[in-house]
Amino acid sequence: MNGPTLRTLTGAVAANVAGIRTRTRSMIMAVVKADGYGHGAVTVAEAAVAAGAGWLGTTSVGEACALRAAGLAVPILAWLHASGVDAEAAAAAGVDVAVGSVDELGALVAQAASTVRVHLHVDTGMSRGGCPRRQWDELIGVAQRGHRARRVRVVGVMGHLPLADRAEPAANAAAVAGMREALKAVRAAGLGSPLAHLAATSGALTDPATHFGMVRIGAGLVGIDPSGTVEMHGASRLTAPIVHTSAVPAGTPVGYGGAYVTYRAAHLSVLPVGYADGIPRELSPRAGVEVRGRRFPVAGRVSMDQIVIDTGDRYFPTGTSATVFGPDGGATPSVHDWAHWAGTIPHTIVTGIGPRVRRSIA
């Protein structure tokens, strides 16, 4: 009997890349941070590149080097550097780095022994990272000095859209204007015509004005559209076997605190997944899983290692497979259903599946 398994559906990743391609003429970067949104960074990256993504994106240089070690040769950008930019590793692996502050760029210029490809990260309204507008001139000045010393080469300018999930192009206008201003300043400084990228999944799907030279697709790779405007292909299926079943009378309390009480005689089945595996502890009473074509409710509170489902008059033997979520529709819940039941976003569902859950590729 196999334990809980998360299957990554590479065909769905490819279909999502193809869907994005119909909406933009810009290059596509497949962002595989957070281990490919919980689906396996290398697995998702390979599927996306095979489907036409020309770039990959990661948070760190270390993650980018792991993709290189797996044989992925397309350009890769890393843009979060918790311990500073590892210039030597980036240059050796041919990994681009985004730099969003004067101090960070200055440190990179000071330590680089060979030329590092840099994307200037400018704040276009997120106030979460990127160089603030008042320091753009200083940032560009440091880039000029690094360029003259052959320590850095500016090949890109990036920003973020803080309001793209609204799917209203007017909400993106200020960020688009900021990106154009930054590009103009970089070109005027003699740093060439770098690749500009501003939009993530929502912008790519809803606002062509944000596309510039490249769009960055992360959640969209695995079937999540944060704007809620486009139906995409879910790229994962989480299954778990029934490990225990009991028949109980009406009025039986279930789980810690007895928050759920059976209203008639029923069968209760236990699945070996819990909040330590990424199942949200706080769920609405509508939460359920699919077993043999029917949806059955989660009964009682989620435990650390298990959940209970009420299958009513249906008895299922040990080893019967239940689908916690998947892309199938009908009785099978989606990650969006689980996000709704937990009062969160689908990103937290797929990235929260823990390491005890076996991974496979389909």
Side-chain angles (χ1 to χ4, degrees):
M1 178 173 60
N2 291 326
T5 301
L6 182 72
R7 292 175 176 83
T8 297
L9 312 177
T10 55
V13 175
N16 290 326
V17 172
I20 295 288
R21 171 53 61 213
T22 66
R23 292 173 176 267
T24 185
R25 296 180 179 179
S26 302
M27 289 187 289
I28 294 174
M29 173 188 288
V31 179
V32 293
K33 60 184 180 178
D35 193 27
Y37 285 74
H39 292 66
V42 172
T43 299
V44 174
E46 289 177 341
V49 169
W55 281 69
L56 295 170
T58 68
T59 53
S60 69
V61 172
E63 291 176 348
C65 289
L67 297 179
R68 284 280 185 256
L72 287 150
V74 299
I76 305 177
L77 172 66
W79 62 79
L80 185 63
H81 315 288
S83 302
V85 178
D86 188 337
E88 183 177 352
V95 172
D96 293 11
V97 297
V99 180
S101 75
V102 172
D103 290 344
E104 188 174 48
L105 183 57
L108 175 59
V109 170
Q111 68 163 297
S114 55
T115 304
V116 178
R117 288 167 51 94
V118 167
H119 297 230
L120 299 180
H121 184 185
V122 296
D123 183 5
T124 52
M126 186 77 82
S127 299
R128 187 196 63 181
C131 184
R133 175 64 188 87
R134 65 182 180 278
Q135 293 183 315
W136 288 2
D137 290 345
E138 188 178 358
L139 182 75
I140 291 170
V142 175
Q144 286 176 308
R145 293 193 292 275
H147 178 79
R148 287 194 293 267
R150 297 185 179 180
R151 302 289 182 86
V152 300
R153 178 185 169 205
V154 176
V155 297
V157 178
M158 71 177 289
H160 286 84
L161 294 169
L163 303 175
D165 291 2
R166 294 183 183 178
E168 298 174 359
N172 300 324
V176 170
M179 176 57 75
R180 289 174 177 160
E181 183 181 358
L183 281 171
K184 182 178 179 180
V186 169
R187 290 166 180 158
L191 294 173
S193 296
L195 174 66
H197 46 108
L198 179 64
T201 297
S202 291
L205 291 173
T206 65
D207 187 0
T210 66
H211 292 186
F212 289 89
M214 183 164 66
V215 294
R216 303 185 302 263
I217 310 302
L221 295 173
V222 298
I224 298 170
D225 168 21
S227 74
T229 61
V230 177
E231 185 174 349
M232 307 189 80
H233 301 269
S236 55
R237 180 178 289 109
L238 176 61
T239 59
I242 291 173
V243 295
H244 176 77
T245 294
S246 59
V248 301
T252 300
V254 182
Y256 289 115
Y260 182 96
V261 179
T262 59
Y263 65 89
R264 59 2 185 176
H267 293 92
L268 301 176
S269 294
V270 177
L271 304 180
V273 287
Y275 58 76
D277 305 295
I279 304 300
R281 187 173 185 274
E282 301 299 329
L283 292 173
S284 81
R286 297 180 61 189
V289 306
E290 180 271 338
V291 184
R292 293 186 179 172
R294 285 183 56 185
R295 184 178 297 183
F296 298 100
V298 174
R301 293 177 180 165
V302 175
S303 298
M304 179 179 288
D305 310 296
Q306 55 201 308
I307 59 175
V308 179
I309 58 174
D310 181 342
T311 64
D313 60 359
R314 294 288 301 276
Y315 165 76
F316 296 108
T318 298
T320 302
S321 181
T323 302
V324 179
F325 59 72
D328 311 288
T332 302
S334 67
V335 294
H336 297 80
D337 290 327
W338 279 91
H340 178 71
W341 295 332
T344 186
I345 58 176
H347 309 56
T348 66
I349 304 299
V350 294
T351 61
I353 303 302
R356 298 192 302 187
V357 176
R358 185 174 72 92
R359 266 60 175 181
S360 68
I361 301 171

